[in-house]
Amino acid sequence: VRLNDRTEHGMLVVSGTLPGGPAFGRLNPGDIVVRVNGALTTRFVPLEDMLDKKVNSECKLQIVRNEKLMEISLRVDDLHRITPKTLLEVGGGIFNDLSYHQARNHNIPLNGAGVFVAKAGYMMAQAGLVTGTIIRGVDGQPTPDLNTFQEIMAKIPHAKKVALRVSHVINPRQEAIVIAQMDKKWFPMMRLDRNDRTGKWDSAHLLKDSDAKRLPSEAEVVQMNASGQPLSTIDADSWSYDPGKNDVERSVSRSLVAVRFAMPFLKDGLETRYYHGTGLVCDVENGLVVLDRNTIPTAIGDVYINFAGSVEIPAKVLFVHPVHNVSVIKYDPKHVKGLMVKAAEFEAIKEESQARVVRRAEDNKRELAFSDSNVIKNVTKMRKMGNPENNKSEDNKKVWVVGLSQDSRSGQRMVSRTGRVENHGQVMFQLPSPPRYQEQNVELLHVNGVPSSQAQDGVLVDDKSHKILGYWASFWVQMQRGHTQVFYGIPAYTIQDAVDKARQKLQKGEDSTLPSAAEGGKAGAQSSLSIRALGVELEKISLATAKELGVLGVANDLWLKSAIYLAMSKQTFPPSVFAVRRRWGGTDASKKLKDGDLLMAVNDEIVHSFRAAESSVERYTSGAERGEGAANGTVKCTIFRDGKEHDIEVKTADLSNSTMDDDIVLFGGASLQKPPFAACHQYGIPMEGVYVANFMKGSPAERYRLLPTSRIVEVDGKPTRDLDAFLSCVKDKADGTSIRMKIVTLQGHKRMITLKMDSYYWPTERIHDSERKGDWVRERI
């Protein structure tokens, strides 16, 4: 080498070979390359040039191995041939043949190694797969390449569970078996082939239109995942409830179920697609299960319920409470007829003492009238020092928090902790960013002995009666860095109110049958059920603060007197009054009330608790005590502002459609929706425009800065008050057309952006449930 070129100071050495490649077993690490096709070769560029000229033909190498000169003839493979040029999309994931580069980096055989997971997507992420996973087999059938994988997956029906044999490129010799559930509803199965002539990827849908429209019914889903077992007969030896470690656990064992929820598209400010939690069966006849909104945050998605850790069936979202942290799902009772499911038994709810302001006929003076004649007597007793009644508060009850500790592979078991109900109180959470659901206007239960940071949901069970006192719920909380979840008890009356509303939907014929694709199901946005609220977020303030604001002396101290009497009668301390903390955008309250107003009464009923304020609004707008303004949902609010008392007529907000109208539009890689209720009440924005929920990386939405939490209010000068108006503006725009959009941020800043349409890779589509029966359809516009 030195005789040929004195400037040379090194030679090429074989560092490794690709398993299964032409050089594997013929070249060894450490071999020194001397000549290639007779030419002395010491640099990479000449080597690559000579190899390029010998693609798909033989190449002769002269090497030195163990101080011996040898000649080897090798076939030069085509790098383009072993570089993936076909992609497969299944269940929102992206798959391809293992590339040469991944095989070389991780020392994996290139041919027949399996299918590489480039993006796990909606379906595979639920099975625990991540980028870099290699799928080696599906239901016992080997998948050495993408074409074989495509043939197998195309034959699997929607919602069918399949066993995948997988490994990861980091440790390819360690295999595992995971269970995935096929999805052909939310994401189409597509094949994309690189077209070197046009420079684009040609796409082809692999699911026939007839198959896409005829997805399996819920009964068929249960049947095909039950190993052929008839639905009507469940073998008693195939299931068993957790016997529990104590009487309390045993009392609720057959009422607790494990629930998992997956949402295909992020919306409403949510950051996570996959949830699981403990559900409480409240109605066996109708198949109603209660959970918190940190398990069922929205109506769009897939819900599955696991009974006794043995039987899993699909369900539908029936009701998501717009204000409180409660959701209700529905399953078909006939699928679990033999499992002896038991409806939860709640502790009897005591009616709250109501206080009204009445005027005496003789002198027109105002005074308090209590619905419970014992209020005054109880207060008198309470004021006597040493009276035993003073120690009989309903707080300090011994309770158990019972839930299901879940693991997708090892199963579920009952867990419980004991403590004492410490108090009913308001919990103030930090304002989330981006806006998303947050609990408000409810007294939560604190349990001394069960920390709120304990990551376990469940139910609150009375130690003596073994009846349900509330639901131990998970609350999503914004932190300075990231977020966390905390746990508090939701009172039984809030839970039962949500279940009653769900039953009303069933009674009105909105969801009287099995919630399935074939038989109808989930009640939707066009609901005849009326849910009305005042349109404000309230907060408790002390009597001392109220006096500092000038309430003392007004109406002979009527309001403060009522707060003290009711607090002493119920033994809920300290006594307090309620102030408007935040008004909801787009409501009548946002125009007529002000932040900081003291809300004293609704239709002359004293507001002494969150529950009292809520029930007064519902009673006078939809109940038996409908007043003159009930026809349009109006109530009279007595407020204290700037040292004066005012009576203001306020039209209540209709929340019936605030959480169940979940249509999503996919436009330019962005997910669009109507403005979420959380953004309206937390930031005061109106329910107008098209809200940007999310965008995908590399999409036109990201490139042209169509940012999440902003609202599109105009397209090419035309107003877009809702999704329908937006679609009418963009549906006829050709590929490559530039459109101008007026954007409004949460803070009210307006700006104009220009976005170039890319209908080839990012078509406009709508995910909707037009009949509001849970039969979601993905439709291209």
Side-chain angles (χ1 to χ4, degrees):
V1 174
R2 288 292 179 85
L3 291 175
N4 184 67
D5 188 348
R6 291 183 176 275
T7 63
E8 291 292 349
H9 53 77
M11 300 184 71
L12 299 177
V13 180
V14 177
S15 63
T17 58
L18 180 67
F24 186 73
R26 306 196 65 190
L27 291 179
N28 296 333
D31 288 349
I32 302 173
V33 178
V34 180
R35 298 178 186 276
V36 177
N37 288 333
L40 190 66
T41 306
T42 59
R43 295 178 182 268
F44 287 108
V45 173
L47 174 64
E48 291 175 355
D49 181 61
M50 286 184 283
L51 293 178
D52 287 343
K53 293 177 181 178
K54 290 290 184 178
V55 172
N56 295 324
S57 61
E58 294 293 320
C59 178
K60 293 183 178 180
L61 277 71
Q62 188 181 63
I63 64 172
V64 175
R65 178 186 299 168
N66 298 329
E67 300 182 357
K68 294 181 181 179
L69 196 63
M70 303 174 57
E71 283 195 2
I72 296 177
S73 181
L74 297 175
R75 184 179 182 277
V76 180
D77 211 338
D78 186 357
L79 188 59
H80 288 284
R81 184 187 67 82
I82 58 178
T83 298
K85 60 180 180 180
T86 300
L87 302 176
L88 185 67
E89 291 189 17
V90 183
I94 301 176
F95 309 86
N96 56 259
D97 283 316
L98 188 67
S99 69
Y100 163 75
H101 304 88
Q102 290 287 355
R104 185 196 65 185
N105 291 341
H106 301 284
N107 198 36
I108 304 173
L110 181 63
N111 297 319
V115 176
F116 182 78
V117 179
K119 176 185 176 183
Y122 176 70
M123 180 180 77
M124 292 301 182
Q126 293 183 68
L129 302 192
V130 296
T131 298
T133 299
I134 300 176
I135 301 177
R136 301 186 181 275
V138 177
D139 269 350
Q141 304 175 70
T143 54
D145 53 49
L146 191 67
N147 289 333
T148 306
F149 180 72
Q150 174 186 317
E151 292 177 6
I152 296 174
M153 299 300 283
K155 297 176 183 178
I156 300 174
H158 171 72
K160 177 74 169 66
K161 292 183 178 181
V162 294
L164 306 178
R165 179 173 292 277
V166 299
S167 62
H168 196 276
V169 290
I170 295 177
N171 188 6
R173 282 159 287 282
Q174 175 67 54
E175 294 186 345
I177 301 294
V178 299
I179 303 299
Q181 193 159 16
M182 174 58 75
D183 170 69
K184 292 183 178 179
K185 176 172 68 173
W186 304 110
F187 298 94
M189 186 173 175
M190 298 178 60
R191 181 186 176 101
L192 297 97
D193 294 287
R194 189 183 69 230
N195 189 325
D196 295 329
R197 183 178 58 83
T198 63
K200 293 186 175 182
W201 290 77
D202 297 333
S203 61
H205 284 261
L206 301 178
L207 189 64
K208 298 178 181 179
D209 291 339
S210 58
D211 295 334
K213 294 179 181 178
R214 201 328 189 164
L215 294 174
S217 69
E218 194 169 277
E220 291 170 334
V221 171
V222 176
Q223 185 66 64
M224 67 185 175
N225 290 322
S227 302
Q229 184 179 14
L231 294 177
S232 57
T233 58
I234 299 179
D235 188 356
D237 294 330
S238 64
W239 58 270
S240 174
Y241 287 101
D242 190 329
K245 301 179 291 294
N246 51 61
D247 291 341
V248 176
E249 288 187 3
R250 284 187 282 274
S251 68
V252 296
S253 177
R254 291 190 287 132
S255 301
L256 299 183
V257 294
V259 178
R260 61 182 178 94
F261 176 78
M263 54 186 303
F265 308 99
L266 291 176
K267 63 186 296 292
D268 294 339
L270 298 170
E271 301 176 0
T272 307
R273 296 177 185 269
Y274 313 109
Y275 303 82
H276 64 85
T278 302
L280 178 67
V281 179
C282 295
D283 187 330
V284 173
E285 181 181 351
N286 292 305
L288 303 184
V289 178
V290 165
L291 303 102
D292 56 52
R293 286 191 56 174
N294 209 23
T295 303
I296 306 291
T298 183
I300 183 170
D302 293 317
V303 190
Y304 287 89
I305 305 178
N306 188 300
F307 293 83
S310 306
V311 179
E312 186 176 77
I313 65 172
K316 297 291 182 181
V317 181
L318 176 61
F319 177 70
V320 179
H321 202 293
V323 179
H324 300 312
N325 189 18
V326 183
S327 295
V328 181
I329 61 177
K330 174 176 170 52
Y331 66 90
D332 186 351
K334 74 170 178 284
H335 294 331
V336 291
K337 187 175 181 180
L339 292 180
M340 300 180 357
V341 182
K342 178 183 176 182
E345 188 175 358
F346 287 88
E347 187 86 351
I349 298 177
K350 295 183 179 180
E351 290 293 329
E352 282 199 318
S353 300
Q354 300 290 337
R356 293 183 58 84
V357 178
V358 297
R359 294 183 179 275
R360 295 190 306 192
E362 59 273 15
D363 54 11
N364 204 33
K365 286 186 178 181
R366 298 189 301 181
E367 61 182 22
L368 290 173
F370 295 95
S371 60
D372 185 356
S373 59
N374 293 320
V375 169
I376 304 298
K377 296 179 181 179
N378 292 339
V379 171
T380 303
K381 290 182 180 180
M382 286 279 292
R383 283 176 169 165
K384 294 180 180 180
M385 297 299 295
N387 194 299
E389 292 288 331
N390 200 32
N391 298 319
K392 292 185 179 180
S393 171
E394 290 191 8
D395 290 345
N396 206 35
K397 267 189 175 183
K398 185 179 179 180
V399 298
W400 290 78
V401 176
V402 185
L404 294 176
S405 178
Q406 303 176 46
D407 186 276
S408 58
R409 292 186 71 87
S410 63
Q412 63 192 40
R413 60 186 179 87
M414 296 189 69
V415 293
S416 61
R417 293 189 65 172
T418 184
R420 292 188 178 274
V421 176
E422 189 174 88
N423 69 300
H424 299 64
Q426 182 182 18
V427 178
M428 307 293 284
F429 297 112
Q430 179 180 328
L431 195 67
S433 179
R436 61 168 290 171
Y437 167 75
Q438 197 170 69
E439 180 64 89
Q440 58 180 304
N441 297 346
V442 69
E443 284 99 350
L444 298 177
L445 304 178
H446 303 246
V447 179
N448 187 15
V450 182
S452 61
S453 58
Q454 178 189 357
Q456 177 62 56
D457 60 0
V459 292
L460 294 174
V461 186
D462 184 78
D463 179 63
K464 295 181 179 179
S465 67
H466 296 174
K467 294 182 179 179
I468 305 298
L469 298 176
Y471 185 88
W472 191 246
S474 169
F475 295 81
W476 185 94
V477 179
Q478 180 90 37
M479 307 291 286
Q480 287 186 348
R481 294 184 179 180
H483 62 271
T484 186
Q485 62 177 345
V486 295
F487 292 82
Y488 295 101
I490 300 176
Y493 57 78
T494 302
I495 301 298
Q496 289 181 283
D497 176 68
V499 175
D500 288 341
K501 285 180 168 56
R503 287 196 184 104
Q504 289 176 37
K505 284 192 170 187
L506 301 180
Q507 292 171 359
K508 292 178 180 180
E510 298 179 21
D511 192 357
S512 58
T513 59
L514 165 67
S516 69
E519 301 168 284
K522 177 181 69 65
Q526 299 174 353
S527 171
S528 57
L529 177 65
S530 175
I531 305 175
R532 308 196 72 90
L534 191 56
V536 297
E537 181 180 348
L538 300 173
E539 66 174 325
K540 285 184 175 183
I541 64 171
S542 67
L543 298 190
T545 303
K547 290 179 180 179
E548 291 170 357
L549 293 173
V551 178
L552 184 64
V554 176
N556 297 321
D557 225 3
L558 190 69
W559 310 115
L560 303 188
K561 181 180 178 182
S562 66
I564 294 172
Y565 268 55
L566 290 168
M568 293 184 70
S569 175
K570 298 190 301 174
Q571 300 188 44
T572 54
F573 293 93
S576 54
V577 294
F578 290 80
V580 175
R581 183 190 186 199
R582 187 179 292 117
R583 293 162 293 161
W584 302 348
T587 63
D588 194 41
S590 66
K591 304 172 185 176
K592 295 181 178 179
L593 301 181
K594 292 183 178 181
D595 295 345
D597 285 349
L598 300 185
L599 181 62
M600 299 302 188
V602 174
N603 281 356
D604 292 330
E605 283 191 355
I606 305 295
V607 176
H608 59 86
S609 66
F610 292 113
R611 182 185 176 193
E614 185 176 277
S615 58
S616 293
V617 169
E618 288 196 1
R619 187 161 50 249
Y620 283 95
T621 55
S622 60
E625 302 178 34
R626 293 167 65 94
E628 295 180 358
N632 61 357
T634 300
V635 295
K636 182 181 73 172
C637 294
T638 302
I639 66 167
F640 186 81
R641 178 194 300 167
D642 299 330
K644 296 181 181 179
E645 184 181 315
H646 304 271
D647 285 337
I648 300 177
E649 296 290 327
V650 177
K651 185 175 181 180
T652 55
D654 185 3
L655 306 181
S656 303
N657 301 337
S658 59
T659 56
M660 300 299 290
D661 189 2
D662 286 270
D663 288 11
I664 293 176
V665 168
L666 305 179
F667 171 78
S671 298
L672 309 179
Q673 64 171 106
K674 72 174 185 180
F677 176 63
C680 297
H681 91 254
Q682 291 168 11
Y683 287 84
I685 68 171
M687 294 283 285
E688 297 177 357
V690 175
Y691 188 82
V692 182
N694 191 31
F695 64 68
M696 296 187 67
K697 295 292 184 181
S699 66
E702 181 189 34
R703 189 180 314 130
Y704 298 105
R705 294 183 61 77
L706 185 58
L707 301 179
T709 73
S710 58
R711 285 181 298 131
I712 305 171
V713 295
E714 282 186 12
V715 172
D716 288 338
K718 297 180 180 179
T720 54
R721 294 180 58 87
D722 52 32
L723 289 175
D724 291 329
F726 176 82
L727 288 175
S728 67
C729 292
V730 302
K731 65 180 181 180
D732 296 325
K733 302 292 184 181
D735 183 32
T737 302
S738 295
I739 60 175
R740 288 172 55 81
M741 296 189 290
K742 180 184 284 188
I743 306 298
V744 182
T745 67
L746 286 176
Q747 292 73 29
H749 300 299
K750 298 179 181 178
R751 62 187 182 95
M752 298 292 296
I753 68 169
T754 300
L755 184 145
K756 187 176 181 180
M757 299 278 291
D758 184 358
S759 302
Y760 189 85
Y761 291 116
W762 306 97
T764 301
E765 298 176 288
R766 185 169 190 167
I767 293 90
H768 63 95
D769 177 18
S770 57
E771 297 183 2
R772 306 303 172 191
K773 293 182 178 180
D775 300 331
W776 295 94
V777 176
R778 180 169 178 164
E779 179 181 23
R780 181 169 293 197
I781 304 300

